[in-house]
Amino acid sequence: MKSSSRAALGLPEERRTFAGASRVDSGLLAATLLLAAIGLATVQSASAELSIDYLPRQAVWVGLGLVLLLVTLAIDYHDLVDFSPFFYLGGLALLVVVLIFGEGPGGTRSWLTIGGVRLGQPAEFAKLTTALFLARYLASAGERHLDLRQIATACAIVGMPMALIALQPDLGSAAMFVPLAAGMMLIAGLRLRFLIATALVVLALGAVGWHFGMKDYQQERVITFLSPESDPLGAGYQVQQSKIAVGSGELTGKGYGQGTQSQLRFLPARHTDFVFAVLAEEWGFFGVAVVLGLYLLYMVSALRIALRARDRGGILLVVGLISLLGFHVAYNTAMVVGLLPITGIPLPFLSYGGSFTLINFIATGLILGIDLRRYVNR
Amino acid sequence: MSQRTDMRAVREHREVLLIRVRALTVLVVTVITLITGSYWYHQLVRGAHYANLADNNRLRKLSIRAPRGLIFDRHGKVLVENIPSYDLMLDRSRADDIAASLVFAAGVLERPVERLAAELEKASNRPDFVPVPVAGNLTLAQVAQMSVTGREHPEFEIRARPLRLYRHGPQTAHVLGYIGHVSKQDLATQPGFLPGDRIGKDGIEQTYDSALRGGAGQQVVVVDSRGKSLQEQHRKPADPGQDLHLTLDLRLQQAAEELMRDRTGAVVALDPRNGEIRAMVSSPPFDPNQFARGLGAKQWQALLDDPQDPLQNRTVRNSYAPGSVFKIIMAFAGLQEGVINESERVYCRGSATIYGHRFGCDRRSGHGWVNLREAIERSCNVYFYHLGQTLGIETIARYARAFGMGTATGVDLSGEKVGLVPDNAWSEKTRGTRWYAGETISVAIGQGPLLVTPLQTARLMAAVANGGALVRPHLVRGAFGEEPPPRLPGSMRWLDPIRDGLRAVVNAPTGTAYWNARLADVEVAGKTGTVQVISRAKVDGELSGNLRNHGWFASFAPADDPQLVIVVFAEHGESGSSGAAPIAKALYEEFFASRAGTA
């Protein structure tokens, strides 16, 4: 099993020795730590007017995340890729369990709880296991272009957790598997024409889904997105208030803890999905530019690690994780200024949230680990 | 497959992969750049717009109402003031069960719960967090009771607001007017008004509204998303309204009101030297306090439907035929035009036949030979019929206008009627027929289409009293500048014989007002007038109610040094002599007694 998976990755067993110890990528690590610190500060400001103090909790998650980052760094990612089928199946099992026993806001089933204690969102965990398993499968494909059977298999790998998450229903999280899969498959050799064909099929399915599959409130969200001013006190309220928060930050912001939109509770979900609006209001365009710059640093550093990596599996894994994280960043920041419809997509390292924070740190650990072990296969 | 070739294969694939990774890097940089650009647009290009929206979100501008100015009479006695009135306000956003809250409040106030519910219903379109009044005019006991037992009901609060108090109720009502809620039209046309603001609706309250109202202040408070006010950010204090000092003499006014009680009509007393109105009464009156407290639809309709029309200020808004009072103008015109002189006599045998019509005199047996003074004193119609025939309508109209008939006096009250001075042009324009010479004969004794207001009559008397100046009547001291008033045309020496006649009306035993207006120590001069409501020929016997004649008495005193003009108009008062003159007499007594007392 072990040697066969090595072979699948194109890595001869005897080459796998630890040689030429490397430093971790300082740019990526610095971006991670700074973003986490900014996240803590912003969560504190955003939750200052709430009855529950979110800062200590988020601090615990960040601390735990850092520990998990180090643990992930210590484990050879090849082993994780090797064991990915088990992780993947475990992830699917958790998704089934959460569908049966889960709890969540508004009658959804997204949270795994035992004895009233929230353990986490299996959907977040599934993103990671799916990325690992897909990396393993696509690395073994090993050709210039993916053939139809390989594409179908990859889609099945991604489709199963997606379907289970969509049943919760958590369409936002389910949708996150699309950039993950698309990023990895394109790098692995998916022809663009397949992607275009898929996009057309998705659009067609979307039209059908609009009429037959979407609940009223989901349709409403899309309509609201297209015309937020049409219902300023209803569904459009959030977008409107978020845009006001962002725009009124102007160049230098209103100052930390001084954002009127957030402190006076005009802004919804300000410690989770709209945390970036709080930051934009209080720190202005300067703050926005710094944070977006840090994300850019993170992603470009990660992609440079991909360029340095010597094996297909490592490259694909980095690309998958960056596609996922990058999509979160792009979608969330675009949603906050009303460029995209509102769905519950949080911002990595900044939004309050347990599972999500941990997954981001583990992903960072994985990427750093891939860099650390790039000479293994020399 | 050897390891070496295997490695090469990996290497080849790696190069392909790396090209794609570089492409992905470009994509990442592009997307982040686009998003940054979008924030640049929102925060820097549109930043001011959103900053404004954020302010609109968090700042509520509240208007601070200025205390309305007080109104005093000429001696500094308070006529209108502001007293606190207590309203019970309900903040619906803080009530768990609105129905239960209303039941509680109704119990404490001992008012039917339906009334509170009805008040609440009126404000149903306002946002929940805006407290709305559910009960008004709470007594101090109710306020105390509410604040003691209402501790468990934080949804209620007591709000004190200034209530306009008209000290003397219905007295002075028409002069002072009243206030009411601004209309939708006011809100649309006049800046600075908010719904619920009060505005002067009539009388002094209306004419001097902007001075009395002052300038509203502004309070800017920070509110949260639920509209809860958190702190005050800015406060511009209100600019209190200006106090007004009227020319009105409260004692004289009250005396006049008392004399007009249960009568319909109007009284105007003014200083002929400067036009200051000392008393102005329209009867029946209304109670302006009703309006201040808030008038129900039923009460309002009752006022509108009242056949006595208590809301109408008869001194300026009703016009009537002047009757024999008009003979003053006729006499002045005749003397000025040289068609009569003081000594020329006319024989009155009880009627005159002119243009083939028989025109009767007041005294059916006739006055015999009368000169001008006697004609005025005894109000001989025949004398004036001939004078009217000689002068013609155009000359009569010219002199009537010179005495201010047909034009507003310019008093500081709204809705003043201008009356009517008929002439040929008027007839052709409104009736489409020529003026008939026979009509001139009626006009000569103040009948026909001629219409004047009691205030115009007072101004006419003032001009006779003061030697020809058409003073501008006014209610607020110093309301108008020192601009010299227009004067009567021609020579003022012709006023002397007229004044002689007017003096005789009251002081000669044969004068029409000898029995009803003569005072022991002050010489009063005046003229009675009686206006036929319907022609006497049409009804036999006693005339009653609203078919009875109107009575005028227009006068001034003392005759040789006029200090006060009094005009009384008694609607259906039977005659000027019996219906109007006694009121003037009583008022002169009051006026000169108080003058003697204070002097």
Side-chain angles (χ1 to χ4, degrees):
Chain A
M1 168 72 198
K2 209 167 190 180
S3 68
S4 67
S5 66
R6 291 273 172 267
L9 288 166
L11 305 170
E13 181 90 21
E14 63 268 37
R15 295 249 171 185
R16 193 180 159 248
T17 50
F18 191 82
S22 169
R23 297 182 295 113
V24 295
D25 187 282
S26 56
L28 183 58
L29 189 62
T32 304
L33 296 177
L34 283 171
L35 285 169
I38 291 170
L40 285 174
T42 312
V43 163
Q44 165 61 22
S45 173
S47 64
E49 294 292 319
L50 296 174
S51 50
I52 303 165
D53 201 353
Y54 286 95
L55 177 66
R57 298 181 185 203
Q58 181 68 2
V60 168
W61 294 123
V62 168
L64 204 57
L66 284 169
V67 171
L68 287 175
L69 185 150
L70 292 173
V71 169
T72 316
L73 203 52
I75 302 170
D76 189 337
Y77 72 96
H78 296 101
D79 295 332
L80 294 173
V81 171
D82 281 346
F83 283 103
S84 63
F86 301 107
F87 296 143
Y88 178 75
L89 289 174
L92 288 183
L94 278 178
L95 286 175
V96 172
V97 169
V98 82
L99 264 184
I100 299 165
F101 300 106
E103 294 168 15
T108 59
R109 299 181 174 277
S110 52
W111 289 92
L112 204 57
T113 58
I114 288 180
V117 179
R118 282 180 179 180
L119 293 181
Q121 290 172 287
E124 296 297 339
F125 183 65
K127 289 175 190 168
L128 214 54
T129 58
T130 306
L132 282 168
F133 188 48
L134 200 59
R136 181 192 148 111
Y137 175 74
L138 291 174
S140 69
E143 294 298 327
R144 196 179 174 87
H145 293 296
L146 296 177
D147 60 31
L148 259 177
R149 192 182 55 84
Q150 289 168 323
I151 291 168
T153 310
C155 284
I157 291 171
V158 178
M160 273 191 284
M162 260 182 93
L164 288 170
I165 293 166
L167 284 174
Q168 289 179 353
D170 183 356
L171 294 181
S173 291
M176 288 299 102
F177 285 77
V178 173
L180 172 77
M184 290 176 81
M185 286 163 77
L186 272 175
I187 300 298
L190 179 73
R191 285 173 195 274
L192 260 179
R193 61 172 180 252
F194 277 103
L195 196 72
I196 291 163
T198 312
L200 290 175
V201 169
V202 166
L203 277 179
L205 286 175
V208 173
W210 172 265
H211 288 294
F212 301 106
M214 271 183 141
K215 297 201 164 65
D216 285 350
Y217 75 92
Q218 290 165 331
Q219 292 187 352
E220 203 169 83
R221 274 186 182 173
V222 179
I223 292 167
T224 300
F225 163 69
L226 295 173
S227 169
E229 282 81 10
S230 64
D231 185 13
L233 287 176
Y237 176 82
Q238 299 186 344
V239 193
Q240 194 61 22
Q241 296 302 328
S242 177
K243 283 171 83 171
I244 292 172
V246 170
S248 65
E250 300 186 77
L251 183 61
T252 52
K254 296 175 186 171
Y256 181 65
Q258 303 295 310
T260 59
Q261 284 292 103
S262 48
Q263 304 302 327
L264 300 174
R265 308 189 191 194
F266 290 102
L267 199 59
R270 51 197 175 279
H271 61 298
T272 56
D273 296 346
F274 286 93
V275 74
F276 197 60
V278 175
L279 183 126
E281 183 182 24
E282 299 192 341
W283 295 106
F285 183 72
F286 283 144
V288 166
V290 165
V291 171
L292 288 176
L294 287 172
Y295 281 120
L296 190 64
L297 174 63
Y298 183 101
M299 287 187 272
V300 169
S301 302
L303 290 168
R304 274 174 53 216
I305 287 171
L307 293 174
R308 287 201 293 264
R310 299 299 171 113
D311 63 56
R312 230 175 125 79
I315 294 168
L316 287 169
L317 194 53
V318 172
V319 166
L321 295 174
I322 286 307
S323 299
L324 186 60
L325 181 132
F327 195 78
H328 265 282
V329 171
Y331 197 99
N332 183 282
T333 53
M335 168 186 97
V336 159
V337 279
L339 295 173
L340 289 171
I342 294 173
T343 50
I345 293 173
L347 191 57
F349 302 111
L350 262 71
S351 289
Y352 171 84
S355 313
F356 184 63
T357 303
L358 296 184
I359 294 306
N360 288 317
F361 276 103
I362 293 171
T364 309
L366 273 172
I367 295 167
L368 289 172
I370 289 163
D371 197 30
L372 210 57
R373 292 178 177 80
R374 67 177 182 267
Y375 299 112
V376 167
N377 309 313
R378 188 165 30 176
Chain B
M1 202 182 272
S2 78
Q3 282 164 11
R4 189 168 285 270
T5 50
D6 190 35
M7 258 312 291
R8 215 173 21 246
V10 171
R11 285 234 165 91
E12 278 170 15
H13 287 311
R14 194 169 165 270
E15 287 310 310
V16 178
L17 291 187
L18 294 187
I19 290 165
R20 293 169 184 162
V21 170
R22 287 196 185 96
L24 183 61
T25 309
V26 172
L27 179 69
V28 164
V29 172
T30 309
V31 168
I32 294 285
T33 307
L34 285 175
I35 288 172
T36 309
S38 167
Y39 277 83
W40 174 276
Y41 173 76
H42 276 90
Q43 299 190 286
L44 299 177
V45 179
R46 302 269 287 155
H49 166 72
Y50 285 114
N52 188 28
L53 288 180
D55 280 348
N56 286 347
N57 260 347
R58 78 190 173 95
L59 300 178
R60 288 280 178 283
K61 296 186 177 84
L62 305 171
S63 157
I64 304 171
R65 283 169 187 152
R68 200 168 169 89
L70 309 184
I71 304 178
F72 301 93
D73 90 332
R74 67 183 297 115
H75 300 302
K77 288 182 190 139
V78 177
L79 300 177
V80 187
E81 62 185 319
N82 304 309
I83 56 162
S85 163
Y86 300 97
D87 293 340
L88 183 64
M89 310 294 290
L90 172 64
D91 181 346
R92 287 159 296 167
S93 68
R94 298 179 72 183
D96 299 324
D97 179 355
I98 289 174
S101 296
L102 288 184
V103 169
F104 163 78
V108 173
L109 302 179
E110 294 173 340
R111 289 185 192 185
V113 70
E114 292 77 22
R115 247 175 77 194
L116 272 61
E119 284 299 314
L120 186 64
E121 186 59 38
K122 282 186 200 163
S124 57
N125 59 344
R126 309 190 68 180
D128 256 12
F129 54 79
V130 177
V132 294
V134 289
N137 303 313
L138 269 58
T139 64
L140 282 175
Q142 284 171 327
V143 170
Q145 189 68 20
M146 203 59 212
S147 53
V148 171
T149 59
R151 291 235 171 87
E152 284 118 63
H153 290 270
E155 70 271 26
F156 284 114
E157 60 180 273
I158 304 280
R159 180 188 65 179
R161 64 181 167 85
L163 181 70
R164 203 73 167 148
L165 178 72
Y166 299 87
R167 269 269 185 93
H168 305 285
Q171 290 179 335
T172 66
H174 285 105
V175 169
L176 298 174
Y178 55 93
I179 60 169
H181 288 291
V182 285
S183 65
K184 280 190 184 127
Q185 203 186 343
D186 293 330
L187 287 170
T189 55
Q190 286 176 270
F193 277 117
L194 293 169
D197 277 354
R198 308 281 176 138
I199 187 172
K201 293 282 191 184
D202 198 3
I204 293 295
E205 293 273 31
Q206 183 185 28
T207 313
Y208 294 95
D209 183 70
S210 65
L212 286 165
R213 184 157 25 92
Q218 200 183 49
Q219 186 191 19
V220 179
V221 291
V222 178
V223 296
D224 68 11
S225 61
R226 290 182 301 172
K228 196 177 139 209
S229 131
L230 302 173
Q231 68 183 88
E232 183 176 280
Q233 207 197 37
H234 170 76
R235 174 186 280 260
K236 182 187 141 234
D239 194 3
Q242 198 183 315
D243 293 344
L244 289 183
H245 293 268
L246 302 191
T247 59
L248 220 58
D249 180 337
L250 182 61
R251 266 182 74 175
L252 198 64
Q253 175 78 14
Q254 286 177 321
E257 302 256 10
E258 199 54 44
L259 289 161
M260 288 301 286
R261 180 182 292 208
D262 303 325
R263 292 171 201 255
T264 311
V267 175
V268 175
L270 57 76
D271 189 329
R273 296 163 295 190
N274 52 24
E276 288 185 357
I277 295 172
R278 298 297 181 99
M280 181 180 240
V281 173
S282 174
S283 189
F286 63 94
D287 185 357
N289 288 315
Q290 275 187 302
F291 293 90
R293 281 194 295 264
L295 203 59
K298 247 187 215 165
Q299 291 165 290
W300 175 239
Q301 199 55 46
L303 277 171
L304 290 181
D305 290 345
D306 192 327
Q308 300 274 55
D309 203 0
L311 290 177
Q312 190 78 312
N313 185 350
R314 291 171 155 78
T315 60
V316 292
R317 289 190 195 155
N318 279 14
S319 52
Y320 312 87
S324 300
V325 177
F326 195 68
K327 290 170 184 168
I328 295 167
I329 295 172
M330 292 298 295
F332 185 76
L335 292 165
Q336 202 70 253
E337 295 293 313
V339 299
I340 51 169
N341 62 48
E342 289 167 71
S343 51
E344 204 174 337
R345 283 166 183 258
V346 168
Y347 187 78
C348 168
R349 50 180 174 81
S351 68
T353 304
I354 304 166
Y355 305 126
H357 286 274
R358 188 182 163 275
F359 293 91
C361 192
D362 229 33
R363 189 170 171 179
R364 290 183 184 196
S365 56
H367 291 102
W369 287 103
V370 287
N371 62 14
L372 177 65
R373 189 184 61 82
E374 288 158 344
I376 292 173
E377 176 200 316
R378 298 169 201 174
S379 204
C380 175
N381 287 350
V382 171
Y383 183 95
F384 288 97
Y385 291 148
H386 292 300
L387 179 54
Q389 189 184 15
T390 315
L391 287 171
I393 190 63
E394 298 304 325
T395 307
I396 295 172
R398 182 154 52 84
Y399 278 93
R401 293 198 181 101
F403 274 93
M405 308 292 110
T407 52
T409 64
V411 70
D412 37 3
L413 290 175
S414 69
E416 194 186 359
K417 280 256 174 76
V418 297
L420 175 63
V421 177
D423 57 12
N424 187 46
W426 168 83
S427 180
E428 285 186 335
K429 194 177 161 205
T430 58
R431 306 192 296 195
T433 57
R434 265 200 65 78
W435 179 261
Y436 296 106
E439 292 180 285
T440 309
I441 310 308
S442 295
V443 169
I445 59 158
Q447 308 278 356
L450 203 57
L451 290 172
V452 300
T453 66
L455 189 64
Q456 284 174 327
T457 309
R459 180 169 61 166
L460 145 73
M461 286 311 282
V464 175
N466 68 21
L470 220 56
V471 293
R472 183 172 184 178
H474 58 277
L475 281 159
V476 168
R477 296 178 81 168
F480 306 113
E482 296 289 298
E483 202 183 315
R487 297 190 65 83
L488 299 178
S491 167
M492 292 310 116
R493 75 188 160 99
W494 300 121
L495 286 174
D496 294 334
I498 293 169
R499 281 195 289 249
D500 281 344
L502 296 177
R503 243 199 296 257
V505 167
V506 181
N507 298 290
T510 47
T512 52
Y514 178 79
W515 298 105
N516 291 317
R518 188 168 50 93
L519 292 178
D521 41 11
V522 181
E523 198 184 16
V524 176
K527 181 74 199 79
T528 56
T530 301
V531 180
Q532 285 184 358
V533 173
I534 58 164
S535 167
R536 229 163 238 260
K538 287 181 186 161
V539 179
D540 290 326
E542 190 89 341
L543 288 164
S544 67
N546 57 3
L547 297 177
R548 282 205 303 254
N549 292 338
H550 300 319
W552 282 100
F553 186 66
S555 61
F556 56 86
D560 52 358
D561 173 26
Q563 292 168 24
L564 195 67
V565 162
I566 293 179
V567 168
V568 178
F569 178 77
E571 223 168 88
H572 307 299
E574 199 65 68
S575 76
S577 175
S578 61
I583 292 167
K585 176 185 175 175
L587 279 179
Y588 281 120
E589 279 170 348
E590 171 66 35
F591 179 78
F592 289 108
S594 71
R595 173 141 305 197
T598 52

